[in-house]
Structures are given as C-alpha cells and as structure tokens.
Amino acid sequence: MADDSAKIDEKAALPVWDLADLYPAPDAPALTRDLEEAARQAKDLRQRFEGQIARLDGMALGALVVEYEAIQERLGRLASYAQLRYAGNMSDPEIARFHQTIDERTTDISADLLFVTLEINKIDDATFARQLAAPALARYRPWLEMVRSFRPHQLSDEVERLLHEKRITGASAWNRLFDETIAEMRFAVDGKELTSEGALTLLVDRDPRKRKAAAEGLAAGFRSRLKTFSLVTNTLAKDKEIEDRWRKFPRPVSARNLANQVEDEVVDALVKAVKDAYPKLSHRYYKLKAKWFGVAALDYWDRNAPLPQDQDRGVSWPDAEKLVLEAYSAFSPELGALGRRFFERPWIDAGPRAGKAPGAFAHPTVPSAHPYLLMNYRGRTRDVMTLAHELGHGVHQLLAGPQGHLLADTPLTLAETASVFGEMLTFQALLKRESDPQVRRILLASKVEDMLNTVVRQIAMHEYERRLHDTRRQGELTADEIGKIWLDTQIEALGPGIKLEADSDYGVFWAYIPHFIHSPFYVYAYAFGDCLVNSLYAVYRERPEGFPKKYLELLAAGGTKRHRELLAPFGLDAADPAFWSKGLSVVAGFIDELEKA
C-alpha cells in the first residue's frame, strides 16, 4: 500500500465505511419504499399547490416548505447512497448503473418539485414581506433569500423544467464519462501499471527517479486520452456558456459567486491580492526550495518533493487518528468529541484501491444521517493533514445538521473554513511538539507548500478556468490551446523557481482535475477559505478567550448567515481588501522564517 518514502504497517487494516446507516443494500425494501414514497409525495404536493404559492399566507407557505424539505431530504438520502457506492468503486458497471438509475429516478421526482422555487421567485416583494411575518416561514428566510437571489436569472417554467430533466443526459453524462475514464486508466511507471491516484502519489516520493518516472507516466497517460478530455472540457464549457447566456450572467464566474453568496467584487479582490502576492509567496519559496536542492530551478515533478533532509517514514493510521484528535480536543473538547465519532463508527473509507475515487472528500449526506469521509491514506504527513482537513468538513457538517436539510448547507466560500482550520490546528500541534530545528524547518516548509497549493495554485487554476471559458466563447479549443492556457497560468503563478517551458509535458496536467468538470469555478473557494482561516487563526492567537465558542457557533450556523454576519463577531470583513492581505501575510511570514533558518 505504501512506498519506501512512507512505510506504514500494511497489516493494519484501514477503515472502510458502512453505508447501512443510509440503506443496507441497493435492493433493500427501505430504498424502494423511499423512491416510491418520494414520487407519491412530490406529485401530491404539485397537485395541491402548483399555481397557488403567491396566494398562500405565511403560515400555509411555511407548512408547504416543511413538506418540500422532507421530500428533498428523502431524495438526498437516496442520491447520497448511490454517490458514495459509486465513489467506492467507479469501475464496477453494476454500481455505475445503479448510480445512474438513482440519478434518473430522483431527477424525475424532483421535476415535480421544481414549481416550488420557481413560484417563490414570482412572488412580489410586498407579498413576500407579509408572508415572512409568519414564524413558520421566517425560519426559512436565509434559504428563501438565497432562492430569490436567482430571480433575475430565472427562465420560463417550461425551459427550467427542460433544463432540469435534461441534466442527466447533458452535463451529468459528461461528468460520468470523465470519472469512469479516469478510474479505468492505468499509467506505466517503472514497469508497473498504476491508477491515477497511485501515480500522483509518487510525485511526493523521496526518490527523485520515481518522481520523474511518475510524471512521465502520467503525462503519457493523459496524452493518450487527450482527445476525450478535450471533448469533455469543450462540451461542458460550451454547455455552461449557453446556459449563462440564457440566464444573463455577465461573466462565467458569476453563477458560482451567486451560489456561494459572495459578491463578484469580493472574489475579484481575492484573486487580485493573490496574483499580486505571487512574487513574495510562490516565486520566493520555490527559488528557496531550488537552492535547498542545489539547482537553479526545480523540475515540475519536484515541486512537492520532500526536502533532502526529510526523514518522514510514515504515520500509521492509529497515530494519525491520535494526532488529529488531540489537536482538535486541545482547541475544543467538543470539537474533539465530534471528530472521535468518525473513528468510533464506520464513517471513513481510508484505504486506496483500484476503481476508488481519487483524492479525498467529506460527503454531508442528509441531516437525519451523518457525513462520510473518503481518503486514499498512504501514511505520509501530508495524508495526516488531509485527514485533518476532511475531518474538519465532517464536524462542520455535524454541527450544521440541526439547521435542517434546506439550511444546513454552507456556501463553498465558507465550507472550507472548518477543514483548513483543522489543518492549522494539527500543524501547530505537530510544530509545538518538535524541538529539533531541522524537523521544525521541514514541517514549516511542508505547511508552506500546502498553503501555496491551497492559495496560489487554486487561484492559478481559477485563472485557467477564467481564460478557458472566455476563450471557448470564440470557438472550440484544441488540446494544444487548452494546454497553453494551462501552462501560461501555471508559469505566472509558480515563477522562475520551477522549470516550465512552452512544450513542457506538464501542459497536459489540466486533464485530470475533477473540479473543472464537476464544479466550474469551485477552486477559488479553497483560497478564500485559507485566507479566511489565516485571519481567524490570527484573531485566536491574539484573543483566545471565548474564541472556540464563537468558532463553533460559526460552524453551527450552516447556511443561515452570509460571510459578513459570520465574520463580524471576530472583527473581520472579507469585503475589506486588507482582509486578504492579512491572510496572505501569514504565508509570507512562514517563508520569512524559512529564509532565516
């Protein structure tokens, strides 16, 4: 399971999740019953209320929303079960067929519910204000306001229903093609056939020959399927352009910003701040790292290489659990207790295996159940940080769950808060227990690289998406043209410390990144979250008294408050350009320390 750079006990079983808390099996009577009941309830709700919502008083509309929420939660449970089974093995055709079947059935059922949000958006402001006076409806104000924020972009009922029903044969189908292509691919590395996850992992191996071989194997593999990846990218970009045009979104990123409940100008300020900081962050650090490696510039496959003195020999799963939970508990016993539930119960799928989704995620499922975490744990310190990250998502989702299905969901810009904060807590705990200056330097360098990957790399990927979608509006792009956009943005971000020429093999590495396919313009949320957490952590260090309580309240708010309301108790405002500079100064300060070491 692990290579030489991170030896862990291969006999120690890594946890595998048990999805029985959702459904015991794909053919379980409870699953069939939920499908049938959701279909019946959705049709009944539509028959009783379609065309009537604007005429309801606040109490009656509140009761309708309660029914609507219950049906959506039932559909969410069904979809979550199918998605998690699929993530566990995307290569199994029966699992893929089940996932597709559930997706189609839930899409059909939810089509009968579409009238609810469409008609809510047709209520005039005066009538809506009167309806909100009823406590039964006022509870849902944040969700209703989010729904109504899309009013200027809503199309006719017939077009909205068509777009909804065609999703499974449109963007969703292209997503599936991408996922299954990646899952089935094998990459030739040193005479072995590796999955994408296995090959990408070797890019952080201690052996430079393995890193180079992995990079070459990945590049060759991506190039062999470049026609497919280019078709998927072009089609999805055009699909988005068509819908954005119909909905009158001014920019490709605007729909994502609206869904994230963050203003365009706030995102623009973040992007500008990070790009302006490239020279003092990534450019400076990678030149420093190249100096440590005794070269003028690093090959691209050495960007995340362990430092020459790094003796990281791996962290067992029990030790990783202990490290993360101790860090969480030291900050807040309540946070630690919530995190412990994931280890005491089968809520984590940790081991890498063929067919499994690459990377890591936390899936919230539905409030009546609990989140699940997926990882590909290989025993490195970076994997411990990934565990801390995904566990942060998990405890956030547990805390927000009591808000209910419609109000628990957090905008992406705030969804990364708990995950990145969990990483910071774990890093600081690791740093605190180390007295060896060399080990501390290695830990600090590793943290800087993680932060650069979270902030600089994600903004560079955001810039790639922006240029790709802008250019795609002029016509279909060739793989070489896509690769040039990718390389241009990466060269700008990484600077002279990384060797990247116009014909670099790295020009095909845009092909494997799932965020571009599944969630266009998702990636800036990582940078938003990292800068936000840096600012939050600075407040915690300055004024720790009472901070954990306010922090848990922030997480428990779920989607009931926007970023300005949530950050106000900490004296922070993301609309202030200085906010981003404060967050970025934390990264710069760490690099200052490394330069002095």
Side-chain angles (χ1 to χ4, degrees), residues 354-392:
K356 182 178 176 181
F361 64 71
H363 193 308
T365 72
V366 290
S368 58
H370 55 77
Y372 284 93
L373 310 185
L374 178 142
M375 290 188 61
N376 285 273
Y377 189 83
R378 294 176 182 271
R380 294 179 173 81
T381 302
R382 274 194 170 95
D383 293 328
V384 178
M385 291 300 167
T386 300
L387 175 60
H389 181 102
E390 299 307 336
L391 190 66

Side-chain angles (χ1 to χ4, degrees), residues 337-575:
L338 287 169
R340 189 167 290 107
R341 293 170 65 183
F342 287 83
F343 297 92
E344 293 174 343
R345 303 168 191 189
W347 296 359
I348 305 176
D349 192 321
R353 60 179 179 270
K356 182 178 176 181
F361 64 71
H363 193 308
T365 72
V366 290
S368 58
H370 55 77
Y372 284 93
L373 310 185
L374 178 142
M375 290 188 61
N376 285 273
Y377 189 83
R378 294 176 182 271
R380 294 179 173 81
T381 302
R382 274 194 170 95
D383 293 328
V384 178
M385 291 300 167
T386 300
L387 175 60
H389 181 102
E390 299 307 336
L391 190 66
H393 280 306
V395 296
H396 190 178
Q397 291 155 0
L398 284 178
L399 284 164
Q403 298 289 353
H405 187 69
L406 296 181
L407 295 171
D409 197 28
T410 306
L412 292 178
T413 43
L414 297 169
E416 295 300 329
T417 304
S419 55
V420 179
F421 198 86
E423 283 189 73
M424 180 64 86
L425 292 174
T426 304
F427 165 71
Q428 294 290 353
L430 281 169
L431 196 64
K432 185 177 180 180
R433 74 178 194 171
E434 284 294 346
S435 57
D436 185 328
Q438 181 169 286
V439 175
R440 287 177 62 85
R441 174 171 161 270
I442 290 167
L443 283 171
L444 193 59
S446 178
K447 181 58 178 173
V448 167
E449 291 188 17
D450 286 345
M451 295 172 95
L452 293 179
N453 285 334
T454 304
V455 178
V456 170
R457 179 167 161 78
Q458 301 303 325
I459 291 302
M461 290 200 290
H462 171 82
E463 279 294 282
Y464 157 79
E465 284 194 277
R466 182 185 65 77
R467 295 183 198 180
L468 174 92
H469 283 266
D470 284 346
T471 309
R472 177 65 180 90
R473 293 186 175 200
Q474 310 307 313
E476 183 165 290
L477 303 174
T478 65
D480 286 344
E481 289 171 330
I482 297 172
K484 184 179 187 308
I485 294 171
W486 170 257
L487 275 177
D488 286 348
T489 55
Q490 303 313 297
I491 290 169
E492 289 171 10
L494 300 177
I498 304 290
K499 284 190 284 188
L500 282 177
E501 292 81 25
D503 60 348
S504 170
D505 278 351
Y506 194 61
V508 298
F509 274 65
W510 54 269
Y512 81 94
I513 298 171
H515 295 83
F516 300 156
I517 305 302
H518 293 282
S519 307
F521 295 97
Y522 181 113
V523 291
Y524 77 74
Y526 288 111
F528 193 111
D530 198 279
C531 289
L532 187 157
V533 164
N534 289 340
S535 297
L536 272 178
Y537 197 80
V539 173
Y540 171 52
R541 295 290 291 269
E542 294 164 7
R543 301 186 298 277
E545 187 67 30
F547 184 96
K549 181 176 183 292
K550 288 193 291 184
Y551 174 73
L552 292 181
E553 288 171 351
L554 179 153
L555 300 185
T560 63
K561 296 180 180 179
R562 299 191 68 169
H563 61 85
R564 277 196 174 91
E565 298 173 89
L566 289 169
L567 295 177
F570 303 94
L572 299 171
D573 180 5

Side-chain angles (χ1 to χ4, degrees), residues 175-345:
N175 290 174
R176 180 182 174 185
L177 173 61
F178 171 85
D179 287 342
E180 293 184 7
T181 300
I182 288 287
E184 291 169 2
M185 288 182 72
R186 295 296 179 266
F187 300 84
V189 181
D190 282 341
K192 298 178 181 178
E193 296 293 315
L194 302 179
T195 63
S196 62
E197 181 70 31
L200 288 164
T201 296
L202 290 177
L203 294 178
V204 294
D205 195 275
R206 287 180 53 79
D207 187 341
R209 292 170 301 176
K210 289 185 179 180
R211 296 196 297 269
K212 182 179 180 181
E216 291 173 345
L218 285 163
F222 295 145
R223 194 174 290 110
S224 72
R225 301 289 185 94
L226 218 50
K227 185 175 181 180
T228 298
F229 291 130
S230 298
L231 177 61
V232 171
T233 298
N234 271 291
T235 302
L236 287 173
K238 183 61 178 178
D239 181 76
K240 176 172 169 51
E241 186 267 323
I242 293 169
E243 186 163 339
D244 282 352
R245 177 160 36 86
W246 275 70
R247 294 191 184 282
K248 295 182 171 55
F249 281 113
R251 297 157 56 187
V253 72
S254 297
R256 175 66 61 191
N257 292 348
L258 190 58
N260 283 346
Q261 299 176 42
V262 62
E263 300 78 11
D264 283 0
E265 53 269 26
V266 171
V267 176
D268 291 344
L270 164 66
V271 173
K272 183 178 186 305
V274 175
K275 291 181 69 177
D276 287 349
Y278 283 172
K280 67 180 180 182
L281 298 180
S282 48
H283 294 190
R284 184 162 61 120
Y285 175 77
Y286 291 123
K287 284 173 67 177
L288 183 61
K289 185 171 183 177
K291 180 181 175 183
W292 293 335
F293 275 73
V295 296
L298 297 164
D299 290 304
Y300 75 83
W301 54 79
D302 289 334
R303 181 171 58 86
N304 289 320
L307 298 190
Q309 302 83 9
D310 190 350
Q311 297 301 313
D312 185 3
R313 289 295 176 181
V315 183
S316 70
W317 180 258
D319 284 346
E321 174 186 345
K322 185 171 184 288
L323 280 167
V324 174
L325 289 181
E326 284 182 352
Y328 274 47
S329 299
F331 170 76
S332 162
E334 182 182 348
L335 197 68
L338 287 169
R340 189 167 290 107
R341 293 170 65 183
F342 287 83
F343 297 92
E344 293 174 343
R345 303 168 191 189

